[in-house]
Amino acid sequence: METPSIKNVRKGKGGISKKSDSELIKRYLESRDSAYFSMLYNKYSGKIYSKCISLLKNEALAQDATQDIFIKIYLNLTKFSERSKFSTWVYSITYNYCIDFLRRKKKEKNLFSDEMENPPDIVEDVPDNELLEMEVSRLKVVLEKVPVGDKAILLMKYQDEMSIKEIAAALDKSESAIKMKIKRAKHKAQKIYKEIFSNI
Amino acid sequence: MSGKNSFQRLDEDTGGSSSGRGAPPEFVRENVTGSIKFIEYIGKIVELYLPNLFNTIKEITNSGSTENHEGKNDNVDPLNPSDLDNDPPGDIEGGAKSDHNYR
């Protein structure tokens, strides 16, 4: 069996950088060679850190979160069943970690729009295109203004392309609840966009 | 056009971070690598000692059960099938019965 050194893994030698996630996991579980896990780390740490800093808005917290999330991944790797993509599983852990952290620390009063005291009863459906074709710099501004839970759910849906079923499983909510959360998050994002950019 | 939507271009736009605050610093990677080594070490300890711990708990449970089993198991003759039927509760594996079957 190919057992690359950590040094080679970091340099991407030995062609293992081209191996799929499931192959790396399989090889790691068979050999317990941390080089394979390091490969997964190198592939996903940047993305996880990016999501953490985007939701936690603090570099030190994001660094700790990235580390904690990888420990969770490490400890639960044997439980990964490949019913979903590894990336989906990893991102689910990441979003859950950040949302739990924010809830625990009560850093955000209302994580989701529909948790606010008086959410609007009827929410008009915002076409996906309005968000998906938004100028990136503007989208970034909008995402900084929406409640962090809304941001997480929009990233899951439109950045990570997770299905409603996958998001529901990740957040332990019903699919209908997730649909409503997405609808409200889109509505909130559109409202903020109009408030900021309608006069420009 | 890359075929990516605005959400997926957030990372590209800021060089790997949707917040514009860069990639994870190298020391985080080193720390995580260190943590991996550490939890591997813990993992080994768990692997080594957890089965023993379970056995110890099982033995304690069994011995406790034996004491409360009206003394019937104090003089169990492992060669006597009728005694083996009085396995103390908690012997999930049924090791004694396996031996019996083996014989």
Side-chain angles (χ1 to χ4, degrees):
Chain A
M1 179 182 289
E2 186 183 8
T3 51
S5 68
I6 288 190
K7 194 177 169 187
N8 282 349
V9 166
R10 283 189 178 143
K11 288 182 179 173
K13 288 182 179 174
I16 61 164
S17 60
K18 290 175 185 170
K19 293 204 185 313
S20 67
D21 292 343
S22 53
E23 194 168 352
L24 286 171
I25 294 164
K26 184 169 169 267
R27 288 196 175 209
Y28 172 72
L29 292 175
E30 281 169 2
S31 66
R32 294 284 166 178
D33 184 337
S34 58
Y36 292 116
F37 192 80
S38 294
M39 194 67 201
L40 291 170
Y41 176 76
N42 289 340
K43 185 170 176 184
Y44 286 102
S45 60
K47 290 170 187 166
I48 290 176
Y49 177 76
S50 168
K51 288 182 193 305
C52 289
I53 203 164
S54 163
L55 297 173
L56 303 176
K57 295 171 184 164
N58 177 300
E59 286 185 49
L61 289 178
Q63 287 164 2
D64 285 351
T66 304
Q67 203 161 358
D68 286 351
I69 288 161
F70 263 96
I71 290 173
K72 274 177 190 279
I73 292 168
Y74 179 87
L75 292 174
N76 290 289
L77 203 54
T78 52
K79 294 179 192 166
F80 173 63
S81 60
E82 297 198 33
R83 274 179 298 185
S84 64
K85 283 192 292 184
F86 181 67
S87 58
T88 303
W89 186 67
V90 166
Y91 298 151
S92 297
I93 293 173
T94 305
Y95 288 117
N96 254 318
Y97 181 96
C98 292
I99 289 171
D100 284 351
F101 179 87
L102 292 170
R103 275 198 204 283
R104 225 172 33 242
K105 298 288 177 190
K106 293 183 179 160
K107 281 185 172 288
E108 301 277 343
K109 198 175 175 190
N110 299 302
L111 287 181
F112 294 93
S113 289
D114 61 358
E115 290 175 356
M116 288 176 178
E117 282 181 19
N118 296 308
D121 289 334
I122 301 167
V123 177
E124 60 189 81
D125 205 7
V126 176
D128 282 355
N129 285 354
E130 284 197 21
L131 295 173
L132 298 180
E133 291 168 11
M134 197 180 282
E135 196 181 308
V136 174
S137 58
R138 291 185 174 193
L139 177 62
K140 205 183 298 172
V141 173
V142 169
L143 288 178
E144 287 303 308
K145 300 275 181 194
V146 296
V148 71
D150 287 2
K151 182 178 183 176
I153 217 160
L154 290 172
L155 290 175
M156 282 190 225
K157 175 91 171 86
Y158 298 114
Q159 188 177 65
D160 306 322
E161 295 183 326
M162 289 168 68
S163 66
I164 301 288
K165 195 177 174 184
E166 286 168 335
I167 300 171
L171 299 181
D172 197 23
K173 304 271 183 197
S174 69
E175 290 183 35
S176 58
I178 294 300
K179 282 180 192 168
M180 184 51 75
K181 279 184 187 296
I182 290 172
K183 200 173 175 183
R184 286 193 194 283
K186 282 164 64 180
H187 180 75
K188 185 79 179 173
Q190 187 200 42
K191 193 176 163 209
I192 289 169
Y193 181 86
K194 283 180 180 169
E195 282 169 6
I196 298 173
F197 298 109
S198 61
N199 296 327
I200 297 174
Chain B
M1 192 73 184
S2 62
K4 291 182 175 178
N5 67 45
S6 299
F7 283 84
Q8 290 163 338
R9 282 188 282 130
L10 282 171
D11 283 347
E12 290 173 7
D13 189 56
T14 54
S17 167
S18 14
S19 66
R21 277 170 277 186
E26 191 63 25
F27 79 87
V28 174
R29 293 173 182 228
E30 292 305 322
N31 275 2
V32 170
T33 310
S35 298
I36 292 165
K37 281 175 186 157
F38 174 70
I39 52 181
E40 273 182 345
Y41 174 68
I42 296 291
K44 291 248 184 294
I45 291 175
V46 171
E47 267 176 30
L48 284 172
Y49 292 105
L50 204 59
N52 288 342
L53 183 65
F54 277 128
N55 285 339
T56 309
I57 292 169
K58 211 161 92 177
E59 279 168 23
I60 292 167
T61 310
N62 287 349
S63 65
S65 306
T66 305
E67 283 168 15
N68 296 322
H69 205 62
E70 298 172 351
K72 280 183 183 172
N73 283 320
D74 287 346
N75 298 309
V76 168
D77 177 1
L79 298 177
N80 184 346
S82 62
D83 280 342
L84 290 171
D85 289 339
N86 292 328
D87 274 347
D91 189 359
I92 299 163
E93 299 297 324
K97 284 182 181 169
S98 301
D99 288 343
H100 172 53
N101 291 337
Y102 177 75
R103 281 190 296 112

